[in-house]
Each structure stands twice: as structure tokens, then as C-alpha cells.
Amino acid sequence: GKCEQGALVRGIVPVGSLIKLNGEPVKVTAKGQFAIGFDRDAKAEQMIEIVYPTGLIELKPLNVAAREYKIDRVTGISTKIMKPDPVAQKRAAEDAKQARAARSTFIENDAFMQDFIWPVTGRISGVYGSQRVYNDVPGNPHFGVDVARPTGTVVVAPADGVITLAVADMFYSGGTLIIDHGYGVSSTFLHLSKLYPKVGDKVSQGQKVAEVGATGRVTGPHLD
């Protein structure tokens, strides 16, 4: 993978090696495989420390490239949209808690090393890292990729994994599915009209897992 903001980078070290990224331990599989991620606004200077089975310590500096993100400014948004009512806010907070719990699970599965495939293909209607500023108030950046397709279009698993979240109707994201590919790497699918598997099910790359929809807070059918 590329060492750039928002990137997932995978690698292999000799079996038995230990890895740290900026002083924080990185989990390594029994085969010496690992994955690290850089957030949207990651700093340019990063450091990987490798402790080999022999005891040798190697420091490898990484230069994380900056990315330019699309920023849209939207004015005249109503207060109702800018700030949902307390009941909706409480529901959204509970949804977010569920999603965080699903992503915090740790599964010893090396499926994250597979070559991922697109869960659905089509016109890209939204890109990673973009952000909207509503009435001069910055909204949350977009952390996914939107693919515009009609409701009912089949969505497939991009890699092997285990279902850690399957909810038919969340406030913001509507039908939501999370597949854990192991060692902290997961895929999240939003605004689905139909979900096939349930929590705990194992899925294989290319397996049908859901259908595109327009559920949650959206303006049209697409897969996020």
C-alpha cells in the first residue's frame, strides 16, 4: 500500500518479530503479517520499530504523503437538519456505540492480506476524506467511498471475514453491515435495503451479503 493519509498498509516480517508504530504495539500474525492504517490527517513523519527474533532492533522512518480533500460549503441549511431532536440524537449515539463495539473486536484471521475486490461497481458519487461545511460549521469528513447504484443491486464481500454488526435501520446509516477481516481491518457498508447474513456468520470473498438501498439520511440509493 501507499504511505499516504487515509491509507491501509500491509506487510510481512520474519516470524517472531515484534512491531511498533510510533511507539504503539502492532499486532502480528503467526505468519509475520501485519496491517497499519494512517488516518485522514496523519502527520508526515512516522516511525516503525521492528524487533527481530535475534534481538536486533531496526528503526524505519516512514514519510506519509499528504492528500488534498474536496471541501464543499453549503449554506441555508435548516436548524432541524443541522441539529436533530433529542430523541434522534440519542438514537444516533446508541448506533455509534454499537458500531464502535463491532470495530473494537479482535479476530485472529489473516483475510486482511487478501487482494480486496469491489463490493459493487458503478459511478463514484462520493470520495474518501471529502467534507462539507454547513452554515460555516464543519461537518464530519466522509470516511468512505460512495458508489451510486439502484436499490436492490447486490453487494458482495470484498474479502473473507466474520459479520460483527448487522442492523437493518440505523438513524444516519440505515441498513448497516460490518465485516471483520482480522487484525483490526474491517469493511463497513451503509444505507443497505437488505442484509443477508447475521452477526457471527462467516462470509467468503465474493459472497452476496446485502443489497444497495437508500436507507438512513441519504438523497438517493448508493453504497457507502
Side-chain angles (χ1 to χ4, degrees), residues 2-52:
K2 288 184 178 180
C3 285
E4 65 179 8
Q5 292 175 332
L8 174 70
V9 177
R10 302 173 295 182
I12 300 175
V13 290
V15 172
S17 300
L18 302 177
I19 299 178
K20 288 184 180 181
L21 176 65
N22 303 322
E24 294 295 324
V26 174
K27 293 185 181 297
V28 183
T29 74
K31 298 177 183 177
Q33 304 157 320
F34 67 93
I36 55 177
F38 301 111
D39 68 30
R40 177 183 183 272
D41 302 305
K43 295 180 179 179
E45 296 181 358
Q46 309 272 340
M47 181 69 72
I48 284 186
E49 177 184 333
I50 306 172
V51 181
Y52 294 101

Side-chain angles (χ1 to χ4, degrees), residues 191-213:
H191 311 303
L192 303 167
S193 61
K194 185 179 293 185
L195 289 69
Y196 299 161
K198 61 183 183 300
V199 171
D201 286 354
K202 293 181 179 180
V203 295
S204 301
Q205 185 179 65
Q207 180 179 331
K208 298 177 181 179
V209 294
E211 294 179 11
V212 172

Side-chain angles (χ1 to χ4, degrees), residues 163-188:
I163 305 299
T164 54
L165 183 75
V167 179
D169 186 24
M170 286 188 156
F171 180 70
Y172 283 111
S173 57
T176 305
L177 187 75
I178 295 180
I179 303 176
D180 192 311
H181 306 291
Y183 284 77
V185 179
S186 62
S187 298
T188 302

Side-chain angles (χ1 to χ4, degrees), residues 77-88:
I77 304 298
S78 70
T79 302
K80 181 179 179 181
I81 294 176
M82 286 290 293
K83 189 175 182 179
D85 63 67
V87 174

